[in-house]
Amino acid sequence: MTQKLLQSKFPEMETTIFTVMSALAREHNAINLGQGFPDFSCDPQLLDGVEKAMRGDQNQYPPMTGIPELRNKISAKIQDLYGKYYSSDDEITVTAGATQAILTVVLATVRPGEEVVVIEPVYDSYLPAIHLAGGKAISVKMIPQRNTLGLVAKYVLPWDDLAKAINPKTRLIMINSPHNPTGMVWESEDLERLADLVRPTNALICSDEVYEHMVFDNEHHQSISRHPELCQRSFVISSFGKTFHVTGWKVGYVAAPKELMAEFRKVHQFNVFTVNTPMQYGLATYLNYPNAYKELPAFYQEKRDFFKAGLIDTRFSLLPSKGTYFQCVDYSNLRIPEAKFNEVDFCQWLTKEIKVAAIPVSAFYSSATNSNVIRFCYAKKEETLKTALNRLRTIAS
């Protein structure tokens, strides 16, 4: 047989960089500061709630939209934090993590040929979701601002390019704050500028806010839910996995106006149908303790500051980490030959030889883009970070 039985929908797609770098870290016994997951445990009280649900025979299919107890708690949480009421019956759905939520938003809203605006560097599931829906991705790139040494100092939103990209043909705009991988955060002024751009259009917004509880330096997360105009055309996505240090549970949620949520649920019911029952009960109980997420900014800021202090006197150039649990650095000022490597090669060398894994920021672009910037994850125990810092300083002093 010469003809292929299956023509790939993604003929040029390879294994994700996160899988590749994590596998390389395991192979070379390196500290994995690449993939974004903690190496510490969640609160035992959360586990107790899940165990209680399991032993209480809460092990069968829950409602397609999520158990009422959890949806009610999510509604109350959003209203308390952002002043926006979402009906737990009609406007909140529990999902199998944020990635499923993102895919479902895109499949529910985008028809073949419709335009979807994304801002690069961008989380790697956005573009494949658009492709599966038959949409046309319109990518605009954040602007890497450089210092007097030519090193990347920070990334800023590309408002001029966004203004050109958003038009009456735009079906969906996908935004992410706090932003993975750069650690930048949207401010209230940014939401106003976005509102000005979308006001003449029928564009919808997918707002990926999985790091909403990781905004630092006494700043507050500017959720789209806060904005009375934008929230009427937006799907807001969050993640219990990120918030409560249980990324492997894959439980998140979406909030959206009733009309939008009705379309989301039409796809959701035939995508995953429903989400792990005992985890939902455990999370519903744990949300009785709001300090678990309200104290998270201080928890991760301490880790950020510890990691930053370990690199501040090195030749790594540290970019601002205003949110998330990621620290980006420009390595091009290192006095080693490998500083000339592109980001992928540098991360592979770093993993194999220095025994610390990182993620190249170039992996978050749809086309070749190399800025000599890599991403570290500091959601780790202090002893893990200390060992990693000792290794990194051997090449950066």
Side-chain angles (χ1 to χ4, degrees):
M1 180 180 295
T2 57
Q3 186 176 3
K4 284 187 176 181
L5 291 175
L6 176 65
Q7 295 295 321
S8 175
K9 286 188 174 183
F10 298 103
E12 298 180 2
M13 183 176 292
E14 300 177 352
T15 305
T16 71
I17 191 66
F18 308 104
T19 300
V20 170
M21 295 309 301
S22 290
L24 197 64
R26 289 191 297 271
E27 179 184 350
H28 293 274
N29 198 29
I31 296 173
N32 190 353
L33 302 189
Q35 195 166 1
F37 59 83
D39 68 345
F40 46 83
S41 300
C42 67
D43 188 341
Q45 196 168 9
L46 176 56
L47 300 179
D48 291 342
V50 173
E51 182 181 7
K52 182 178 179 180
M54 287 180 171
R55 296 192 182 279
D57 205 24
Q58 300 289 359
N59 299 302
Q60 308 308 321
Y61 292 129
M64 178 267 287
T65 58
I67 63 170
E69 294 89 338
L70 182 55
R71 285 185 282 112
N72 290 337
K73 294 290 177 58
I74 293 169
S75 176
K77 173 177 176 285
I78 296 173
Q79 188 168 21
D80 174 54
L81 291 173
Y82 309 125
K84 165 64 178 172
Y85 171 74
Y86 289 94
S87 165
S88 60
D89 291 332
D90 303 316
E91 298 182 318
I92 292 172
T93 300
V94 179
T95 61
T99 301
Q100 182 251 311
I102 290 165
L103 175 62
T104 304
V105 167
V106 174
L107 292 178
T109 60
V110 178
R111 292 177 175 84
E114 292 185 323
E115 295 184 359
V116 182
V117 175
V118 299
I119 303 171
E120 296 184 338
V122 64
Y123 179 59
D124 67 345
S125 83
Y126 289 16
L127 296 178
I130 296 166
H131 180 81
L132 284 173
K136 179 182 179 183
I138 306 297
S139 295
V140 297
K141 293 182 179 181
M142 282 189 181
I143 302 166
Q145 291 190 342
R146 298 182 181 273
N147 61 22
T148 55
L149 297 176
L151 306 175
V152 176
K154 65 178 180 178
Y155 289 87
V156 297
L157 290 167
W159 287 111
D160 289 345
D161 290 339
L162 277 171
K164 295 174 185 176
I166 297 171
N167 60 70
K169 296 184 293 183
T170 304
R171 171 70 288 178
L172 185 67
I173 302 164
M174 304 184 75
I175 68 173
N176 172 214
S177 179
H179 184 256
N180 176 20
T182 67
M184 65 81 67
V185 298
W186 285 55
E187 300 178 357
S188 58
E189 294 83 359
D190 297 317
L191 296 184
E192 291 299 334
R193 294 186 74 169
L194 180 61
D196 290 341
L197 292 180
V198 301
R199 195 171 291 121
T201 77
N202 289 321
L204 303 174
I205 297 170
C206 177
S207 186
D208 177 354
E209 303 183 14
V210 299
Y211 300 101
E212 62 175 317
H213 300 299
M214 302 167 206
V215 177
F216 311 131
D217 305 314
N218 297 315
E219 297 295 329
H220 299 287
H221 172 55
Q222 297 300 318
S223 174
I224 274 235
S225 301
R226 290 184 187 272
H227 197 284
E229 184 179 351
L230 290 176
C231 70
Q232 297 306 313
R233 60 169 83 212
S234 297
F235 298 86
V236 181
I237 297 172
S238 192
S239 165
F240 289 121
K242 296 290 193 298
T243 300
F244 294 138
H245 322 309
V246 286
T247 59
W249 289 12
K250 298 296 292 179
V251 182
Y253 60 87
V254 178
K258 181 178 179 179
E259 178 185 6
L260 300 185
M261 185 55 71
E263 296 305 310
F264 178 92
R265 289 175 173 178
K266 289 177 184 179
V267 177
H268 174 81
Q269 68 183 339
F270 296 116
N271 185 345
V272 296
F273 177 59
T274 191
V275 177
N276 190 302
T277 303
M279 301 319 194
Q280 290 194 55
Y281 278 100
L283 288 163
T285 300
Y286 195 60
L287 285 175
N288 289 326
Y289 309 99
N291 281 349
Y293 53 83
K294 289 185 175 182
E295 294 176 354
L296 204 61
F299 173 81
Y300 273 119
Q301 182 171 329
E302 184 177 357
K303 291 186 176 296
R304 180 203 68 174
D305 292 348
F306 179 83
F307 190 69
K308 181 178 177 180
L311 292 178
I312 198 69
D313 292 327
T314 71
R315 297 186 69 82
F316 281 116
S317 179
L318 279 66
L319 281 67
S321 176
K322 295 184 176 182
T324 74
Y325 44 48
F326 301 119
Q327 175 66 63
C328 286
V329 303
D330 187 326
Y331 60 84
S332 53
N333 202 38
L334 300 182
R335 291 172 174 165
I336 55 174
E338 292 79 10
K340 303 296 184 183
F341 287 179
N342 65 38
E343 294 170 15
V344 172
D345 290 344
F346 184 85
C347 284
Q348 291 179 345
W349 170 81
L350 194 69
T351 304
K352 295 175 181 178
E353 302 300 328
I354 311 303
K355 308 299 183 186
V356 178
I359 296 292
V361 169
S362 59
F364 294 82
Y365 289 87
S366 57
S367 58
T369 303
N370 188 78
S371 302
N372 289 3
V373 177
I374 61 175
R375 190 198 77 179
F376 293 115
C377 172
Y378 52 76
K380 309 295 177 183
K381 299 173 186 174
E382 185 171 309
E383 54 265 35
T384 304
L385 294 176
K386 188 178 296 185
T387 303
L389 287 167
N390 288 338
R391 295 177 183 180
L392 292 171
R393 281 195 289 263
T394 64
I395 62 168
S397 299

